[in-house]
DNA sequence: AGCCAGGAAGTCC
DNA sequence: GGACTTCATGGC
């Protein structure tokens, strides 16, 4: 398709923001992305983007994936001008978007993410795709059900291997589809509670799954970075209510700023 | 070299 | 319900 203009979007920032672990840099400001069974090469020059797919596929898959339906300018305008830290964070990561990713992939990736670092998470996910994915795609529940806890441990997951083995076992054979229906019907707190019943899923991972996989815009996953920010800059209490409707985006600005700066 | 990582489970009280 | 410990291992 012909190049298009998109505001408030920066591929490198998104790639480095720790929400997706499978983007591959294939050149300067150029990435190859796989999602929902499709593959896309995206290239950016300023606000001009070229995508390798056709118009129809872009509208059907990628426009949603990049969250193009959200007005990020409006989110930024709501930021309290007196909040210097958040203003700096939003300016620094002004091209971040909260990707609308596949639920199952998000569940697996963030199960592995706990007490882990981003580059190591990427390696583990890459290994899972290589060993269990058809054609190196992201493995579905039934694909992973063939692996044991020890298999996953040896792939570099460490102690998280047993969590993934339990998840794959529980989600194979239609278990994931069943859970999906439950989650889609639940409100935010119900979805969080349901996810927290899974072995190895606590509040933070559940909130990441809700935000990145279920697109619950008001989830605000509190990891080690966010906790440090709130302790150091907000006296232990962030003004959540002020940003109702966009807490997930705000959280990403804060996270990315603390991660990269 | 040693601390840290997009934390959670287990085990106390 | 909270504090404390343990869990694998690569990154930097």
């Amino acid at each position: 398709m012909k190049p298009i203009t998109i505001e408030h979007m920066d591929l490198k920032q998104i790639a480095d923001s720790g929400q997706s672990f499978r983007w591959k840099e294939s050149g300067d400001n150029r990435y190859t992305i796989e999602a929902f069974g499709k593959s896309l090469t995206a290239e950016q020059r300023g606000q001009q983007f070229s995508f390798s797919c056709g118009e129809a596929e872009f509208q059907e898959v990628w426009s949603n994936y990049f969250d193009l339906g959200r007005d990020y300018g409006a989110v930024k305008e709501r930021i309290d001008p007196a909040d210097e830290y958040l203003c700096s964070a939003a300016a620094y990561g002004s091209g971040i978007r909260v990707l609308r990713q596949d639920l199952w992939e998000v569940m697996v990736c963030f199960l592995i993410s706990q007490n882990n670092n981003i580059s190591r998470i990427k390696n583990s996910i890459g290994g899972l795709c290589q060993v269990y994915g058809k054609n190196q795609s992201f493995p579905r529940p039934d694909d992973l059900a063939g692996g044991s806890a020890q298999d996953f441990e040896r792939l570099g997951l460490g102690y998280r291997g047993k969590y993934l083995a339990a998840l794959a076992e529980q989600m194979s054979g239609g278990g994931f589809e069943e859970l999906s229906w439950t989650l889609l019907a639940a409100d935010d707190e119900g979805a969080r509670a349901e996810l927290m019943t899974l072995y190895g899923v606590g509040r933070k991972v559940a909130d990441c799954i809700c935000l990145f996989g279920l697109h619950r815009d008001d989830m605000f996953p509190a990891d080690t970075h966010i906790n440090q920010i709130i302790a150091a800059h907000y006296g232990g209490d962030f003004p959540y209510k002020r940003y109702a409707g966009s807490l997930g985006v705000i959280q990403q600005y804060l996270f990315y700023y603390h991660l990269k700066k």
Side-chain angles (χ1 to χ4, degrees), chain A residues 87-221:
Chain A
C87 287
S88 302
Y92 185 82
S94 66
I96 288 176
R97 284 174 173 269
V98 178
L99 299 175
R100 298 173 71 87
Q101 302 184 72
D102 173 73
L103 173 60
W104 170 248
E105 178 167 341
V106 168
M107 287 177 65
V108 172
C109 290
F110 283 90
L111 184 73
I112 290 169
S113 75
Q114 60 180 83
N115 197 29
N116 209 342
N117 60 66
I118 290 176
S119 47
R120 188 171 167 225
I121 298 166
K122 288 180 180 173
N123 288 334
S124 294
I125 298 297
L128 286 176
C129 293
Q130 179 119 3
V131 175
Y132 296 97
K134 293 184 175 63
N135 208 358
Q136 302 193 21
S137 64
F138 197 88
R140 300 310 301 172
D142 289 339
D143 300 327
L144 287 179
S148 69
Q150 280 198 342
D151 292 334
F152 297 142
E153 283 174 28
R154 279 194 292 267
L155 257 179
L157 302 203
Y159 71 91
R160 307 164 196 82
K162 56 183 177 291
Y163 299 153
L164 183 59
L167 184 73
E169 157 75 25
Q170 196 173 343
M171 294 296 113
S172 61
F176 170 69
E177 286 72 16
E178 196 174 321
L179 175 66
S180 300
W181 288 113
T182 305
L183 294 175
L184 289 174
D187 61 12
D188 289 358
E189 276 157 28
R192 170 197 287 154
E194 183 69 26
L195 287 164
M196 285 178 66
T197 66
L198 299 169
Y199 185 40
V201 177
R203 175 167 174 145
K204 187 270 170 180
V205 170
D207 285 3
C208 282
I209 296 169
C210 286
L211 177 60
F212 300 128
L214 290 169
H215 326 306
R216 304 299 176 100
D217 298 331
D218 274 333
M219 286 295 177
F220 192 90

Side-chain angles (χ1 to χ4, degrees), chain A residues 16-28:
Chain A
D16 292 346
S17 69
Q19 41 177 323
S20 178
F21 304 96
R22 288 205 299 147
W23 284 32
K24 289 194 174 58
E25 192 171 8
S26 55
D28 205 31

Side-chain angles (χ1 to χ4, degrees), chain A residues 16 84-86 88-93 225 229 233 253-261:
Chain A
D16 292 346
E84 289 182 28
Y85 190 83
L86 182 52
S88 302
Y92 185 82
H225 295 283
I229 293 168
H233 299 280
Y253 289 147
L254 293 172
F255 172 79
Y256 180 75
Y257 189 49
H258 193 267
L259 180 72
K260 302 292 285 185
K261 201 170 67 72

